[in-house]
Amino acid sequence: MNSPTPRRQVFRLSREQRVAEIMSAAREVFREKGYEDAPLSDIAERAKVVEGSIYRYFENKRDLLVKVIEDWYEGMLADYDLQLAGIRGTRNRLRFMIWRHLSTIHEEPALCNLMFQHLRTGGDYSHTAVHELNREYTRRTLDIIKEGIEAGELREDVPLRLVRDMIYGCTEHRTWAYLRGEGDFDPDATADMIVDLVLSGLERRKPQQPATPDLAERLERAVARLETMTGSAAP
Amino acid sequence: MNSPTPRRQVFRLSREQRVAEIMSAAREVFREKGYEDAPLSDIAERAKVVEGSIYRYFENKRDLLVKVIEDWYEGMLADYDLQLAGIRGTRNRLRFMIWRHLSTIHEEPALCNLMFQHLRTGGDYSHTAVHELNREYTRRTLDIIKEGIEAGELREDVPLRLVRDMIYGCTEHRTWAYLRGEGDFDPDATADMIVDLVLSGLERRKPQQPATPDLAERLERAVARLETMTGSAAP
Amino acid sequence: MNSPTPRRQVFRLSREQRVAEIMSAAREVFREKGYEDAPLSDIAERAKVVEGSIYRYFENKRDLLVKVIEDWYEGMLADYDLQLAGIRGTRNRLRFMIWRHLSTIHEEPALCNLMFQHLRTGGDYSHTAVHELNREYTRRTLDIIKEGIEAGELREDVPLRLVRDMIYGCTEHRTWAYLRGEGDFDPDATADMIVDLVLSGLERRKPQQPATPDLAERLERAVARLETMTGSAAP
Amino acid sequence: MNSPTPRRQVFRLSREQRVAEIMSAAREVFREKGYEDAPLSDIAERAKVVEGSIYRYFENKRDLLVKVIEDWYEGMLADYDLQLAGIRGTRNRLRFMIWRHLSTIHEEPALCNLMFQHLRTGGDYSHTAVHELNREYTRRTLDIIKEGIEAGELREDVPLRLVRDMIYGCTEHRTWAYLRGEGDFDPDATADMIVDLVLSGLERRKPQQPATPDLAERLERAVARLETMTGSAAP
DNA sequence: GATGAATGAGAATTCATTCAT
DNA sequence: GATGAATGAATTCTCATTCAT
């Protein structure tokens, strides 16, 4: 009847290798086509497996997406810590975080879109490992601010989480057009602007209490005069 | 699917009425099911027309979505101006803008999701009337800040557009979880926090220790009197 | 790019006609291949529509099956009543019912299998129109038995529904092998056997009444006495 | 799907033990999910082997099903004979057979469904060991009836196989709803009803018909004698 | 102006089965 | 003897969109 379909050449890989192959292929295809427009068949083809094989390792298409983003995040986080370790000072460290986020968006707009549009909006997001990784990711920013407070550089009443939302919200809002494929932006310049703006509201008003030092001086001087008059000297 | 050809009662409506009916139905269905999961058949059914008729008034599904959001925005903007007209003071006006945005998200999370996920991310967004409306919408915020600067309340070097991104970015970032269906938030309290944080970085810092200057003056005057009494002049 | 796929020749039919076409095609294909082995694509092809069109009229494959059987049943029931009207006598009418059931199995083994294996066993069967039709179908048998009782031909304590189960159960059990594709059976002869067996347990045992033996004895004794009296002995 | 290659602990079992493990797992899974909805992977998992291993002991999924039912039947038959040995009297023994069948259905509806829907309907059924076992199973019923005839309790002209079909057909028909998951039934009461109905058609009408002809003859003869005595002749 | 029948093209998914190791 | 990676082939179902009537 019909000749027994000749089995394609089978390459046997370990689970880890195969998973890596598929995720790598998926990352590429998702990057090129987005989520909805990326057929599993494309991913399978690029990973050199049949579609069905993907389901051995991933529950479904969404699971594959989640894992791809997860994998990407993990790589990034390791990098973060490495670089952050060499940076000192609240402003510098904060600027690095913002710049890094902007750079990521700049370099991987497609994956970021995946994250922003498909993962973060899903009802199951908070049960996701990506969610956890993201907390990890933004926690560094919180830590930097906390350290700034402890070092006396920042006001003590800074609403931590709101500042974090402000930083990331501002960063992303700034890049919507770019993510949409319109125009470009300069991560360096943008990072400078954002860090300036953010810190302008958080830094201790040392130079800025111009009235206060004057007052203190004047009071001290007045007191000194009184002291002179009364003949009592400071010890 | 099953019923014996329900000879549809044809209601003749004016073009405007028909369009309104369809948009109203679409808004409901989109609100309930989102974009992808809202079949045109559902919308047609609810609007009491057949699917084909929708194409008489709208180019395609996306066009319908765009029009629905557009319509919604228009209603909102009129409202904005009305209310904003009665509010005085940079802080108050800014707080209103933020509070209003938060309230909208709070009341219409589904439509906001549509806007954030489906419209704003589309490559064609910037050619959209919604885009224009949105500029309109955020322009009011810019105007308020400008007025604040002109009134001398805000620093002169405020990076206007970045502040706008900060306001809206922060606002939206704050509400992601809610938009995802998790938990709740209080628009009033959140608006207060955000406006505080934003203004803390923008306000002119002279008049900012309002108590202090008075005190300084009174003290100085008191000291002067003392000096007068003792007949000793400052050096 | 790719030339706009030339639309196939579209034949427009009324809903009723199209439904009839599809059901007819489905009946054939189901008959030939059974349920599981009948791809919708085959049915679509034979009905000269595309697969998707089937879903305009039927919720899913199972719904199509249900409707096909339903349609078939409806035709049968009309026939039943017509023929039954011309038959008199409990035995004859009962025999007709049994014979008709056997004939149906004999003529449409495949559709019967569909009914027995796929419909009757489904958890949703009792909410089905087929279920209702089937009740209708077997109700005639109950009626015949009831009439037999009222006419004094059958015992009054006949457990109606159990008898129905016995008739249909026996009939079907007899035909399992045939339904499986093994051998053949003669509906006429089988009907005769079954009706005999069934009625043998249901018919009034006119002479059999337990009162009779007593009566017989008493009569015999009376006769014996008469004989004694007359002095004549039995031969 | 997800776990990091769980280096499976390999338990070496004898062929018999392994087969038993798999069959036991399969019986459970089939019971819970039916045939079509039971993936081999589930069975393998529960049997603590990999899917491929099942093919070492069973030709394919259907073979596994057949073996599972076979195994189940074997257990039942042994039981039957044991219990039947202690029961005397045609009615009692027949009732036991019916009751036992009903009880089996009552206790193992899922396995019975497997048997009724999947095995008995397959074209290969009659070449199956289950078929043979089933003949064995129903042969006991035939034997009981035969013994009843030989003992003079039952009519001599009982159509043996038809009676068997009637018994099992009735029994099963009665329980379709239960097998479908609707409602319940009482095996004891049902067995009583069925055995009554069946025997009502099979039992010798000793007291009844055989007496009757005798009586009639004797009466006629007595009447004839009386007539002789009285000198009046029949016309 | 409206209807609603029909299209079409895919897209995800499932699993029994095989076979290299 | 067992593993478990990989296959493959089909199959159901969904819907936006078109267009003859």
Side-chain angles (χ1 to χ4, degrees):
Chain A
M1 286 280 153
N2 40 0
S3 51
T5 326
R7 259 203 180 217
R8 72 190 296 185
Q9 174 63 43
V10 177
F11 298 101
R12 293 207 139 215
L13 296 179
S14 74
R15 183 185 185 88
E16 284 73 28
Q17 286 175 306
R18 189 57 81 194
V19 166
E21 292 258 303
I22 294 172
M23 295 223 308
S24 160
R27 193 194 284 199
E28 282 177 35
V29 176
F30 284 145
R31 182 152 45 205
E32 289 166 21
K33 308 199 171 187
Y35 180 68
E36 326 258 19
D37 290 342
L40 273 189
S41 55
D42 275 24
I43 296 171
E45 195 179 12
R46 201 165 316 193
K48 294 204 266 294
V49 291
V50 292
E51 286 172 56
S53 294
I54 295 178
Y55 286 86
R56 277 226 146 252
Y57 307 103
F58 304 92
E59 282 176 39
N60 50 40
K61 193 182 175 184
R62 179 150 230 271
D63 182 44
L64 177 55
L65 171 68
V66 171
K67 296 270 172 54
V68 163
I69 299 294
E70 212 171 294
D71 183 58
W72 173 50
Y73 257 67
E74 272 166 7
M76 276 198 294
L77 279 180
D79 205 40
Y80 260 66
D81 287 331
L82 211 64
Q83 299 193 250
L84 204 52
I87 302 173
R88 295 278 172 265
T90 300
R91 171 172 292 257
N92 289 338
R93 288 169 71 81
L94 210 54
R95 187 193 178 280
F96 171 75
M97 292 303 292
I98 294 168
W99 171 83
R100 195 63 178 70
H101 194 53
L102 285 162
S103 295
T104 302
I105 291 170
H106 201 250
E107 285 161 22
E108 288 284 24
L111 293 184
C112 286
N113 264 328
L114 246 33
M115 170 68 189
F116 296 158
Q117 271 181 71
H118 290 280
L119 280 202
R120 194 164 60 183
T121 56
D124 55 344
Y125 174 58
S126 47
H127 312 305
T128 302
V130 191
H131 180 233
E132 198 42 54
L133 283 165
N134 204 50
R135 291 176 63 86
E136 196 56 20
Y137 178 108
T138 60
R139 222 209 47 238
R140 280 154 178 70
T141 304
L142 290 181
D143 287 346
I144 292 169
I145 300 170
K146 270 190 224 155
E147 288 157 18
I149 295 170
E150 281 159 20
E153 295 175 57
L154 304 186
R155 283 164 33 202
E156 277 166 12
D157 60 338
V158 168
L160 279 175
R161 323 186 69 102
L162 197 61
V163 169
R164 183 199 53 193
D165 291 330
M166 182 161 276
I167 290 171
Y168 288 102
C170 182
T171 303
E172 288 171 23
H173 231 262
R174 250 288 120 139
T175 56
W176 279 132
Y178 176 76
L179 285 169
R180 227 183 291 131
E182 297 164 8
D184 197 359
F185 71 93
D186 174 5
D188 277 286
T190 311
D192 284 333
M193 290 172 73
I194 294 177
V195 81
D196 275 349
L197 183 53
V198 168
L199 286 183
S200 77
L202 304 186
E203 282 176 333
R204 269 216 133 77
R205 277 59 180 294
K206 304 169 276 187
Q208 133 207 30
Q209 284 92 341
T212 313
D214 277 349
L215 174 64
E217 275 175 357
R218 283 157 60 200
L219 278 173
E220 283 195 320
R221 259 180 266 135
V223 168
R225 272 175 268 141
L226 284 173
E227 286 169 341
T228 309
M229 288 193 302
T230 54
S232 65
Chain B
M1 185 114 333
N2 234 337
S3 48
T5 325
R7 252 279 157 237
R8 169 185 294 286
Q9 170 66 41
V10 179
F11 297 100
R12 291 238 159 190
L13 296 177
S14 74
R15 182 180 182 85
E16 285 71 32
Q17 285 174 308
R18 196 48 36 115
V19 166
E21 288 260 305
I22 293 172
M23 296 222 308
S24 161
R27 192 194 284 198
E28 280 179 37
V29 177
F30 284 144
R31 181 151 46 204
E32 288 166 23
K33 309 197 170 188
Y35 179 69
E36 327 258 19
D37 290 342
L40 274 188
S41 55
D42 275 25
I43 295 171
E45 193 179 15
R46 204 167 312 194
K48 296 203 265 293
V49 293
V50 289
E51 293 164 67
S53 297
I54 295 178
Y55 284 85
R56 213 147 252 298
Y57 306 104
F58 302 93
E59 280 178 41
N60 51 36
K61 193 182 176 186
R62 179 150 228 272
D63 181 44
L64 178 55
L65 172 68
V66 172
K67 297 272 176 46
V68 163
I69 299 294
E70 212 171 294
D71 183 57
W72 174 50
Y73 257 67
E74 272 166 6
M76 275 197 295
L77 279 179
D79 204 41
Y80 260 66
D81 287 332
L82 212 64
Q83 299 191 252
L84 203 53
I87 302 174
R88 295 279 170 265
T90 301
R91 170 173 293 259
N92 288 339
R93 287 167 72 80
L94 210 53
R95 188 196 178 276
F96 171 77
M97 291 305 291
I98 294 168
W99 170 85
R100 195 61 179 71
H101 194 54
L102 285 162
S103 294
T104 302
I105 291 170
H106 201 249
E107 285 161 22
E108 289 283 20
L111 294 183
C112 287
N113 265 328
L114 246 36
M115 170 68 189
F116 296 157
Q117 270 180 72
H118 291 279
L119 280 203
R120 194 163 61 183
T121 57
D124 55 345
Y125 174 59
S126 47
H127 312 304
T128 301
V130 193
H131 180 233
E132 198 41 56
L133 283 165
N134 203 49
R135 290 175 64 86
E136 192 65 14
Y137 178 108
T138 60
R139 220 209 49 237
R140 280 155 178 68
T141 304
L142 289 181
D143 289 345
I144 293 169
I145 300 171
K146 273 189 221 152
E147 289 157 18
I149 294 170
E150 283 159 18
E153 295 176 59
L154 304 186
R155 284 163 32 202
E156 279 164 11
D157 62 338
V158 168
L160 278 176
R161 320 184 71 99
L162 196 61
V163 168
R164 182 199 54 193
D165 290 332
M166 182 162 276
I167 289 172
Y168 288 102
C170 181
T171 302
E172 288 171 23
H173 229 262
R174 247 292 118 139
T175 56
W176 280 131
Y178 176 76
L179 285 169
R180 225 182 292 131
E182 296 164 10
D184 198 0
F185 71 92
D186 175 6
D188 277 287
T190 311
D192 285 332
M193 290 172 72
I194 294 177
V195 82
D196 275 349
L197 183 54
V198 169
L199 287 184
S200 76
L202 305 185
E203 284 177 333
R204 271 213 130 78
R205 276 69 180 288
K206 300 166 287 190
Q208 137 203 44
Q209 283 94 345
T212 313
D214 280 345
L215 175 63
E217 275 174 2
R218 282 158 57 203
L219 281 171
E220 282 202 312
R221 258 178 266 134
V223 169
R225 269 176 272 136
L226 282 172
E227 288 171 339
T228 309
M229 288 194 307
T230 53
S232 63
Chain C
M1 288 281 151
N2 42 0
S3 53
T5 326
R7 262 207 178 211
R8 73 189 296 186
Q9 173 63 42
V10 176
F11 297 100
R12 292 206 140 216
L13 295 179
S14 74
R15 182 185 186 88
E16 284 74 27
Q17 286 175 306
R18 189 58 81 194
V19 166
E21 291 258 305
I22 294 171
M23 294 224 308
S24 161
R27 193 194 283 199
E28 282 177 38
V29 177
F30 283 146
R31 183 150 47 204
E32 289 166 23
K33 308 199 169 187
Y35 179 68
E36 327 258 20
D37 291 342
L40 273 189
S41 56
D42 276 24
I43 296 171
E45 193 179 14
R46 199 163 319 191
K48 295 205 265 294
V49 291
V50 292
E51 286 171 56
S53 295
I54 296 177
Y55 286 86
R56 279 228 143 250
Y57 307 104
F58 303 93
E59 283 176 38
N60 50 38
K61 192 182 176 186
R62 179 149 230 270
D63 181 45
L64 177 55
L65 172 68
V66 171
K67 295 272 172 49
V68 163
I69 300 293
E70 212 171 293
D71 183 58
W72 174 50
Y73 256 67
E74 272 166 6
M76 277 199 293
L77 279 180
D79 204 41
Y80 259 66
D81 287 333
L82 212 64
Q83 300 192 252
L84 203 53
I87 302 173
R88 296 278 171 265
T90 300
R91 169 172 294 258
N92 288 338
R93 288 168 70 81
L94 211 53
R95 188 195 177 276
F96 171 76
M97 292 302 293
I98 295 168
W99 170 84
R100 195 61 179 70
H101 194 53
L102 286 162
S103 295
T104 302
I105 291 169
H106 201 249
E107 287 161 20
E108 289 283 24
L111 294 184
C112 286
N113 265 329
L114 247 32
M115 170 70 188
F116 296 157
Q117 272 180 70
H118 290 280
L119 280 203
R120 195 164 59 184
T121 56
D124 55 345
Y125 174 59
S126 46
H127 311 304
T128 302
V130 192
H131 180 233
E132 198 42 54
L133 284 165
N134 204 49
R135 290 176 63 86
E136 193 64 14
Y137 178 109
T138 61
R139 219 209 49 236
R140 280 154 179 70
T141 305
L142 290 181
D143 288 346
I144 292 169
I145 300 171
K146 272 190 221 151
E147 287 157 18
I149 295 170
E150 282 159 19
E153 295 176 58
L154 303 186
R155 285 162 33 199
E156 279 165 9
D157 61 337
V158 168
L160 277 174
R161 321 184 72 100
L162 196 61
V163 169
R164 183 199 53 193
D165 290 330
M166 183 161 275
I167 289 172
Y168 289 101
C170 182
T171 302
E172 287 170 23
H173 229 261
R174 246 297 115 139
T175 56
W176 279 132
Y178 176 76
L179 285 169
R180 226 182 291 131
E182 296 165 9
D184 197 0
F185 71 92
D186 175 5
D188 277 287
T190 311
D192 284 333
M193 289 172 71
I194 294 176
V195 80
D196 275 350
L197 182 54
V198 169
L199 286 183
S200 77
L202 305 186
E203 284 178 331
R204 269 217 132 77
R205 280 70 180 287
K206 296 165 276 184
Q208 134 206 21
Q209 282 81 353
T212 314
D214 279 346
L215 175 63
E217 276 177 2
R218 281 156 60 202
L219 280 170
E220 282 203 308
R221 260 179 263 132
V223 168
R225 268 177 273 134
L226 282 171
E227 287 172 336
T228 308
M229 288 196 304
T230 53
S232 64
Chain D
M1 186 117 326
N2 233 339
S3 47
T5 325
R7 254 280 157 237
R8 171 186 293 287
Q9 170 66 41
V10 179
F11 297 100
R12 290 237 159 192
L13 296 178
S14 74
R15 184 180 180 86
E16 284 72 32
Q17 286 174 307
R18 195 52 30 122
V19 166
E21 288 260 304
I22 294 172
M23 295 222 309
S24 161
R27 191 193 285 198
E28 280 178 38
V29 177
F30 284 145
R31 181 151 46 206
E32 288 165 22
K33 308 198 169 185
Y35 180 69
E36 327 257 18
D37 291 341
L40 274 189
S41 55
D42 275 24
I43 296 171
E45 191 179 16
R46 203 165 315 193
K48 295 203 266 292
V49 292
V50 288
E51 292 164 68
S53 297
I54 294 178
Y55 285 83
R56 213 147 252 301
Y57 305 103
F58 303 92
E59 280 178 40
N60 50 36
K61 192 182 177 185
R62 179 151 229 271
D63 181 44
L64 177 55
L65 172 67
V66 172
K67 296 272 175 49
V68 162
I69 300 293
E70 214 171 292
D71 182 58
W72 174 49
Y73 256 68
E74 272 166 6
M76 275 199 294
L77 280 180
D79 203 42
Y80 260 66
D81 287 332
L82 211 65
Q83 299 192 253
L84 203 53
I87 301 173
R88 296 279 171 265
T90 300
R91 169 172 294 258
N92 288 339
R93 288 168 70 81
L94 211 53
R95 187 197 177 277
F96 171 76
M97 292 303 292
I98 294 168
W99 171 85
R100 195 60 178 73
H101 194 52
L102 286 162
S103 294
T104 302
I105 291 169
H106 202 249
E107 286 161 20
E108 288 283 23
L111 294 183
C112 287
N113 265 329
L114 246 35
M115 170 69 189
F116 296 158
Q117 271 181 71
H118 291 280
L119 280 202
R120 193 163 62 184
T121 56
D124 56 344
Y125 174 58
S126 47
H127 312 305
T128 301
V130 192
H131 180 232
E132 197 43 54
L133 282 165
N134 203 49
R135 290 175 63 86
E136 192 65 14
Y137 177 108
T138 61
R139 221 210 47 238
R140 279 153 179 72
T141 304
L142 290 180
D143 288 347
I144 291 169
I145 299 171
K146 272 190 222 153
E147 288 158 16
I149 294 170
E150 282 159 19
E153 294 175 58
L154 304 185
R155 283 161 36 199
E156 279 165 10
D157 61 339
V158 169
L160 279 176
R161 321 184 70 100
L162 196 61
V163 168
R164 183 201 52 194
D165 291 330
M166 181 162 277
I167 289 172
Y168 288 102
C170 181
T171 302
E172 286 170 25
H173 230 263
R174 248 293 117 140
T175 56
W176 279 131
Y178 176 77
L179 285 169
R180 225 182 291 131
E182 296 164 10
D184 197 359
F185 70 92
D186 175 6
D188 277 286
T190 311
D192 284 333
M193 289 172 73
I194 294 176
V195 80
D196 276 349
L197 182 55
V198 169
L199 286 183
S200 76
L202 304 186
E203 284 178 332
R204 262 216 138 78
R205 279 66 181 289
K206 314 165 265 189
Q208 80 197 152
Q209 266 97 351
T212 312
D214 275 349
L215 174 63
E217 276 177 337
R218 282 155 63 199
L219 278 173
E220 284 196 316
R221 260 179 266 137
V223 167
R225 272 172 271 141
L226 284 172
E227 287 169 339
T228 309
M229 287 193 301
T230 53
S232 67

